[in-house]
Amino acid sequence: MKACLLLILNALLIIHVFGQELPVSFQRYYSKDGLSSNTIYSIYRDSYGFLWLGTEDGLNRYDGKTYKVYRYDANNELGLKANHITTLCEDNKGRIWIGTTGGGLSYYDRRLDKVFAYEKSPDERWVSTAITSLMQDHKGNIWASSYGNITVVNTENINALPDPSYEKVVTFFNEKFTRFIYKDKDDQMWISSIGTVYKISKDFQEIVEFTVPSHSSSTVEINSITEDDNKRIWAGSSHGLYFLDYKG
């Protein structure tokens, strides 16, 4: 059953704040301060308090004072495969998963203080070289969206496939472009594709498709998804803001 996302057109809420404005101070950091690049695509604060910054020229770990940079090294076949970092996520083992454009998926091993490439799943399937988003599910496993499929990493044992409950999702999204993954308050997973958003049930056995309406000749690409306190799903795109009117 397909439902439709409702487009919010020209609905800008203008809030006038009267009275004294609170002072706001921003501190700006540049490459001259230790950043590997001034172009940052992803920010993630891990469970140890470190701030991880994915840039167009490497991965940066910031401890509040100094930066440590992790980059592609042609002499290290097991390490990071590209410097264009697009998305970051931490698993229950404290590993930082790293999505890249051009270098696929990698992870940071905290114990060894090294980055390792994750090029193939345990069943010998190649992971896409262009990872678009990462999200942890309610079982602790990491989902990676990409130009070509959905990869699910078994975080308890990265050398083994996740349990069979994931087979339907992995098969369904094989050779599909997927842009963004989100886990809602009910532990359902949401995945955006070209002109479509999919809802995956908590047990991963039901996949519901929602068509995104387009008011032009081009299809809509959903770049971000979130949920409000009323459990409404909001989706951002280059064509504006959408919300999903559904009961579930």
Side-chain angles (χ1 to χ4, degrees):
M1 176 181 177
K2 294 187 178 181
C4 191
L5 289 168
L6 302 181
L7 176 61
I8 299 175
L9 292 173
N10 302 321
L12 294 177
L13 175 62
I14 303 175
I15 302 175
H16 295 282
V17 179
F18 298 96
Q20 184 177 2
E21 293 185 359
L22 294 175
V24 178
S25 177
F26 287 92
Q27 175 67 48
R28 187 175 181 184
Y29 295 94
Y30 302 86
S31 56
K32 64 180 178 63
D33 299 308
L35 270 171
S36 63
S37 170
N38 290 330
T39 304
I40 298 171
Y41 293 105
S42 183
I43 302 177
Y44 189 88
R45 185 178 184 271
D46 71 17
S47 58
Y48 290 80
F50 291 108
L51 199 64
W52 294 85
L53 308 170
T55 79
E56 69 175 359
D57 188 25
L59 177 67
N60 296 245
R61 188 187 69 189
Y62 183 54
D63 62 7
K65 294 182 179 179
T66 60
Y67 296 90
K68 182 167 184 177
V69 179
Y70 303 84
R71 282 192 177 98
Y72 165 69
D73 180 358
N75 296 317
N76 180 8
E77 295 182 356
L78 302 178
L80 195 65
K81 296 297 181 182
N83 287 326
H84 187 148
I85 313 297
T86 54
T87 182
L88 300 164
C89 188
E90 184 179 13
D91 67 20
N92 292 336
K93 303 290 186 182
R95 290 174 295 228
I96 302 298
W97 289 87
I98 308 153
T100 75
T101 294
L105 186 62
S106 297
Y107 66 91
Y108 168 76
D109 187 304
R110 202 178 298 272
R111 182 175 59 86
L112 299 175
D113 190 26
K114 290 183 179 180
V115 175
F116 295 93
Y118 187 87
E119 296 184 277
K120 284 185 179 181
S121 59
D123 59 354
E124 293 298 308
R125 293 187 186 186
W126 286 96
V127 176
S128 172
T129 58
I131 305 298
T132 55
S133 73
L134 297 168
M135 179 59 64
Q136 187 177 49
D137 67 21
H138 69 94
K139 293 184 178 182
N141 294 325
I142 298 293
W143 295 39
S145 62
S146 69
Y147 287 77
N149 55 35
I150 289 289
T151 296
V152 180
V153 179
N154 180 356
T155 56
E156 288 298 318
N157 181 1
I158 63 173
N159 297 312
L161 289 171
D163 68 69
S165 66
Y166 292 89
E167 289 179 2
K168 183 172 184 177
V169 170
V170 172
T171 300
F172 181 85
F173 287 100
N174 187 40
E175 298 186 358
K176 281 187 172 68
F177 167 79
T178 52
R179 178 63 182 84
F180 194 82
I181 307 175
Y182 178 76
K183 179 172 71 72
D184 69 17
K185 295 180 178 69
D186 295 322
D187 292 329
Q188 301 173 121
M189 304 297 282
W190 295 81
I191 299 176
S192 69
S193 185
I194 299 296
T196 309
V197 174
Y198 299 93
K199 177 174 70 71
I200 296 95
S201 61
K202 183 178 179 178
D203 64 2
F204 312 136
Q205 300 310 299
E206 182 184 18
I207 302 173
V208 180
E209 179 181 339
F210 299 93
T211 301
V212 183
S214 176
H215 295 269
S216 67
S217 58
S218 60
T219 54
V220 178
E221 182 179 328
I222 299 297
N223 300 312
S224 59
I225 300 172
T226 194
E227 181 182 14
D228 66 21
D229 291 338
N230 296 317
K231 293 189 175 182
R232 289 176 298 193
I233 296 298
W234 295 82
S237 78
S238 57
H239 290 230
L241 181 64
Y242 296 76
F243 78 93
L244 179 60
D245 186 21
Y246 90 108
K247 304 298 181 183

